[in-house]
């Protein structure tokens, strides 16, 4: 018997679980590419069902309920039930499918919480995100805020030899699970990014989810080894294969080719197209890149180009072993480390973005600023690589940024005497009092309704152990007025043909970054003031929504990502051929 005291001291903080590091179609020496990833340890119910993720494996197409996976209680003994199972077992056992989806989602959640230094809420209500690994017989996968879950489809594709069909399970694709989990987390961090806005905002949701998914793949050493060395077991690699051009061809194009199979219908061609986008074109003004998936590929292209530049810079500091050769393990380590660092920066930058009407330029300035705050000495050239890479696709820092592309520090004088410092760290009402008392220095004005959406303390640890403590505050302004009132009272141009009586809603808001002493470091905002820039911004937004026929539409969170991803699938994906057979399932009786 383990006593309560012994049990308390023996609890682990980390659990290691086997996942597929790449799609089942990708093999090394004829075997699946696996990885054993570290995720937070927790007490689990069958499912697995934990404190943040609840796997409920119900198939709506076939009315089937899968047997739940039961994992141990995360004591000192290793608990990875599929560590030594055969490839055939992993593909055939729906309980491994549940483990794969659970572990990847928890890994992405852990990366967000590490990067931001706090617990991260899902975008949906409640503490637990539901995951259905075999939700329906359809080439689709999506996040739904209203249904509080991630839903993964499955479908049949003809075998290579033409004899019958294979079943493709989207829940076994690392990048698809990571992509959908990122949607849920980004929605929790910035709910306003779901609001109808200019094309960059919707495109960013898709592009950022792809960036997180792809960098999290490159952060797995198993993936980089496969892309660089293939089936070669040599411990050395030629320097000629480690130039930016060579790595682009082997690593990025190699992964793009592998991801361009049956699952390309669900995930689209984000990576394949992104690595083929030639720098130097004016993509932002190209009508083709107004569509949000295509536009999001620009963010993916810029981030991956920066990743390669940083990787090569890190490799330049490695010595050689023999004539023109480097240690493969060190090359892999540097690549995984660069991907992990860039992933951390990408996630942290969300805190430095405005809460509504995000532009790619805003995100670039956020990337540069948060990296400067945490790592002032940019010895590996991360910020230079980001600036050059984004500029090559026509994306430059915000016009509100300084000469180096980072946000300008807030140097205004604020009233602090009517608020309490300790309460400001966590209390929305206290922060609202501060905002209300400082409307003039904050340049918020008196237009519209103001709401504090969140107050989030954050602790970030730099590579040298330096700790950065901040409090992140989001406030949103909203104004609903008739088209006539917007034109006459607020001087906002309304699209031609909109009746004067029609009610329209415009949004503004900002992010306040407080330092550990309660002083405002940064204000990142798009306001509803009567300045020419603000009026022009709102007019462009209304015109864009009018051109898309979106002025009359409410945002349907339940179907938004489902429709987006289904549209992507039907443009070039596989078509299901009825629900394939699945072992381990039992029929669910609805009565």
């Amino acid at each position: 018997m383990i006593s309560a005291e012994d049990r308390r001291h023996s609890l682990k903080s980390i659990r290691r679980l086997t996942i597929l590091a790449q799609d089942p179609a990708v093999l090394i020496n004829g075997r699946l590419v696996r990885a054993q990833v570290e995720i937070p340890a927790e007490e689990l119910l069958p499912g697995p069902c934990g404190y943040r993720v609840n796997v409920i494996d119900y198939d709506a197409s076939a009315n089937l309920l899968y047997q739940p996976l039961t994992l141990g209680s995360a004591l000192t003994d290793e608990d990875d039930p599929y560590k030594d199972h055969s490839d055939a077992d992993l593909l055939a056992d729906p309980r491994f499918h549940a483990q794969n989806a659970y572990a990847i989602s928890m890994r992405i959640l852990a990366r967000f919480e590490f990067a931001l230094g706090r617990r991260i809420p899902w975008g949906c209500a409640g503490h637990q995100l539901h995951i259905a690994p075999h939700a329906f017989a359809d080439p689709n996968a999506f996040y739904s805020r209203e249904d509080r879950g991630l839903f993964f489809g499955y479908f049949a594709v003809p075998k290579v030899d033409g004899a019958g069909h294979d079943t493709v399970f989207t829940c076994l694709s690392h990048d698809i699970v990571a992509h959908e989990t990122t949607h849920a987390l980004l929605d929790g961090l910035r709910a306003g990014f779901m609001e109808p806005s200019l094309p960059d905002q919707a495109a960013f949701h898709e592009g950022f989810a792809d960036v997180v998914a792809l960098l999290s793949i490159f952060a797995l050493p198993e993936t980089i080894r496969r892309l660089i060395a293939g089936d070669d077991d040599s411990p050395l690699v030629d320097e000629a294969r480690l130039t930016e051009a060579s790595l682009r061809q082997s690593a990025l194009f190699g992964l793009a080719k592998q991801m361009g199979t049956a699952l390309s219908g669900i995930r689209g061609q984000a990576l394949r197209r992104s690595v083929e986008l030639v720098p130097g074109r004016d993509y932002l003004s190209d009508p083709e890149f107004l569509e949000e998936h295509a536009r999001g590929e620009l963010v993916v292209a810029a981030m991956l180009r920066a990743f390669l530049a940083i990787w090569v810079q890190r490799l330049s500091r490695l010595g050689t072993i023999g004539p023109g050769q480097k240690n493969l393990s060190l090359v892999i380590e540097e690549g995984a480390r660069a991907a992990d660092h860039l992933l951390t920066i990408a996630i942290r930058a969300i805190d430095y973005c405005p809460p509504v009407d995000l532009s790619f330029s805003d995100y670039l300035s956020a990337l540069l600023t948060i990296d400067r705050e945490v790592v002032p000495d940019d010895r590996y050239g991360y910020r230079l690589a980001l600036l050059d890479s984004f500029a090559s696709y026509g994306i430059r820092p915000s016009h509100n940024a300084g000469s180096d592309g980072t946000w300008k520090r807030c140097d205004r004088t604020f009233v602090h005497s009517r608020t309490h410092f300790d309460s400001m760290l966590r209390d929305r009402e206290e922060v609202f009092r501060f905002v209300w008392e400082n409307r003039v220095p904050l340049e918020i004005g008196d237009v519209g309704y103001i709401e504090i959406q969140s107050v989030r303390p954050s602790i970030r640890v730099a590579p040298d152990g330096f700790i950065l403590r901040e409090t992140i505050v989001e406030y949103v302004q909203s104004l609903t007025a008739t088209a006539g009132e917007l034109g006459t009272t607020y001087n906002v141009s309304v699209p031609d043909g909109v009746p004067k009586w029609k009610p329209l809603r415009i949004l503004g808001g900002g992010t306040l970054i407080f330092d550990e002493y309660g002083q405002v470091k940064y204000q990142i905002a798009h306001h509803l003031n009567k300045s020419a820039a603000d009026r022009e911004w709102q007019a462009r937004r209304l015109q864009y929504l009018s051109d898309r026929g979106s002025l009359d539409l409410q945002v349907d969170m339940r179907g938004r990502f489902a429709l987006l991803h289904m549209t992507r699938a039907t443009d070039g994906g596989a078509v299901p051929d009825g629900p394939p057979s699945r072992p381990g399932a039992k029929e669910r009786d609805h009565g």
Side-chain angles (χ1 to χ4, degrees), residues 2 6-15 41-43 72-79:
I2 300 177
D6 289 339
R7 185 176 186 275
R8 184 174 66 84
H9 286 293
S10 63
L11 285 173
K12 298 187 298 181
S13 61
I14 294 298
R15 182 196 297 269
E42 58 176 326
E43 297 288 343
S73 58
L75 295 178
T76 52
D77 293 335
E78 187 77 9
D79 181 25

Side-chain angles (χ1 to χ4, degrees), residues 266-295:
I266 296 90
R267 65 160 62 89
Q269 297 289 343
L271 178 59
R272 179 184 291 274
R273 281 172 48 93
S274 296
V275 298
E276 293 175 350
L277 292 178
V278 179
R281 272 186 53 194
D282 183 14
Y283 291 101
L284 295 176
S285 301
D286 188 331
E288 177 190 352
F289 288 88
L290 289 178
E291 192 276 328
E292 50 204 52
H293 284 104
R295 199 173 187 84

Side-chain angles (χ1 to χ4, degrees), residues 18-334:
T18 294
I19 64 166
L20 296 187
Q22 291 192 256
D23 299 337
V26 180
L27 304 176
I28 296 179
N29 295 326
R31 298 201 60 189
L32 296 173
V33 184
R34 310 183 190 201
Q36 198 178 48
V37 295
E38 293 184 346
I39 61 173
E42 58 176 326
E43 297 288 343
L44 291 170
L45 296 175
C49 173
Y51 79 109
R52 299 304 306 279
V53 168
N54 181 13
V55 178
I56 304 175
D57 205 354
Y58 173 63
D59 182 344
S61 295
N63 194 30
L64 294 172
L65 181 66
Y66 286 89
Q67 297 173 359
L69 171 65
T70 300
L71 293 173
S73 58
L75 295 178
T76 52
D77 293 335
E78 187 77 9
D79 181 25
D80 184 357
Y82 292 96
K83 181 180 179 181
D84 300 315
H85 278 225
S86 69
D87 287 355
D89 287 344
L90 300 189
L91 296 178
D93 191 342
R95 288 170 297 184
F96 172 73
H97 301 187
Q99 173 169 304
N100 194 70
Y102 163 79
I104 293 173
S105 291
M106 288 297 293
R107 176 176 181 248
I108 298 300
L109 171 63
R111 288 301 294 113
F112 270 74
E113 293 187 338
F114 167 79
L116 297 176
R118 63 179 185 269
R119 298 296 183 196
I120 309 300
W122 303 115
C124 52
H127 303 292
Q128 294 170 309
L129 183 72
H130 302 302
I131 295 181
H134 311 94
F136 40 71
D138 214 17
N140 201 0
F142 59 88
Y143 157 65
S144 169
R145 179 194 288 180
E146 295 299 321
D147 292 317
R148 297 190 299 161
L150 308 182
F151 300 89
F152 298 96
Y154 60 90
F155 55 99
V157 294
K159 290 185 176 181
V160 177
D161 59 8
H165 292 81
D166 285 324
T167 302
V168 175
F169 298 99
T170 63
C171 66
L172 292 181
S173 170
H174 184 288
D175 70 293
I176 289 180
V177 177
H179 178 105
E180 303 307 332
T181 304
T182 301
H183 277 315
L185 289 165
L186 183 56
D187 192 24
L189 288 167
R190 288 290 190 272
F193 288 0
M194 287 281 213
E195 294 282 349
S197 184
L198 291 168
D200 279 9
Q201 182 163 280
F204 180 77
H205 231 293
E206 289 299 318
F208 179 72
D210 279 332
V211 166
V212 172
L214 295 171
L215 288 179
S216 67
I217 289 176
F218 279 111
L220 293 171
E222 295 86 350
T223 297
I224 293 184
R225 178 178 291 277
R226 169 68 176 89
L227 294 171
I228 293 180
D231 298 333
D232 187 357
D233 294 329
S234 172
L236 302 178
V237 57
D238 290 337
E239 278 189 302
R241 296 169 57 187
L242 302 178
T243 65
E244 190 168 338
S246 297
L247 288 173
R248 181 179 176 84
Q249 187 66 36
S250 63
L252 293 192
F253 276 101
L255 186 59
K257 182 179 179 181
Q258 294 165 1
M259 291 169 60
T261 55
L263 284 171
S264 64
I266 296 90
R267 65 160 62 89
Q269 297 289 343
L271 178 59
R272 179 184 291 274
R273 281 172 48 93
S274 296
V275 298
E276 293 175 350
L277 292 178
V278 179
R281 272 186 53 194
D282 183 14
Y283 291 101
L284 295 176
S285 301
D286 188 331
E288 177 190 352
F289 288 88
L290 289 178
E291 192 276 328
E292 50 204 52
H293 284 104
R295 199 173 187 84
E297 290 162 3
L298 299 177
V299 176
V300 180
M303 290 296 285
L304 292 180
R305 186 179 177 86
F307 162 63
L308 284 186
I310 293 165
W311 189 4
V312 169
Q313 172 65 17
R314 298 183 71 96
L315 291 180
S316 68
R317 304 191 177 203
L318 293 180
T320 58
I321 300 176
Q325 292 190 313
K326 291 184 183 288
N327 184 298
L328 177 60
S329 294
L330 293 178
V331 170
I332 293 169
E333 180 182 331
E334 291 296 332

Side-chain angles (χ1 to χ4, degrees), residues 416 421 424-425 434 471 513-521:
H416 291 271
F421 169 72
M424 286 270 290
L425 299 178
F434 174 86
T471 301
I513 312 294
F514 291 88
D515 66 18
E516 58 188 324
Y517 305 109
Q519 302 296 312
V520 178
K521 294 168 61 178

Side-chain angles (χ1 to χ4, degrees), residues 401-557:
S403 59
D404 63 351
T406 64
W407 294 122
K408 295 177 182 177
R409 297 277 300 209
C410 199
D411 57 1
R412 284 159 273 166
T413 301
F414 298 100
V415 176
H416 291 271
S417 59
R418 297 189 180 111
T419 52
H420 300 283
F421 169 72
D422 186 64
S423 297
M424 286 270 290
L425 299 178
R426 63 186 64 85
D427 190 335
R428 291 194 304 162
E429 304 301 329
E430 194 73 20
V431 173
F432 181 76
R433 175 72 185 271
F434 174 86
V435 170
W436 183 260
E437 297 288 348
N438 291 280
R439 295 192 309 282
V440 174
L442 288 172
E443 301 178 348
I444 291 177
D446 57 359
V447 178
Y449 174 77
I450 304 173
E451 179 185 1
I452 305 299
Q453 286 199 328
S454 67
V455 180
R456 294 165 172 156
S458 181
I459 299 176
R460 313 172 201 277
V461 182
D464 62 357
F466 170 75
I467 296 177
L468 178 67
R469 290 182 172 88
E470 297 176 326
T471 301
I472 317 299
V473 170
E474 295 172 84
Y475 64 90
V476 172
Q477 295 173 280
S478 63
L479 172 67
T480 300
T482 65
E485 289 173 329
L486 285 179
T488 59
T489 305
Y490 300 102
N491 296 318
V492 175
S493 298
V494 176
D496 294 338
V498 177
K500 291 185 177 181
W501 52 262
K502 184 179 180 64
L504 298 174
R505 180 169 174 254
I506 58 177
L507 292 172
T511 299
L512 297 175
I513 312 294
F514 291 88
D515 66 18
E516 58 188 324
Y517 305 109
Q519 302 296 312
V520 178
K521 294 168 61 178
Y522 298 101
Q523 182 188 22
I524 304 135
H526 297 302
H527 284 147
L528 297 184
N529 295 337
K530 298 181 181 179
S531 70
D534 293 322
R535 293 197 303 271
E536 192 272 336
W537 183 281
Q538 295 296 339
R540 283 198 297 120
R541 176 178 174 273
L542 291 174
Q543 186 64 58
Y544 177 73
L545 296 180
S546 177
D547 292 343
R548 289 172 57 92
S550 302
L551 281 178
D552 295 316
L553 298 179
Q554 297 293 323
V555 181
D556 181 3
M557 299 305 178

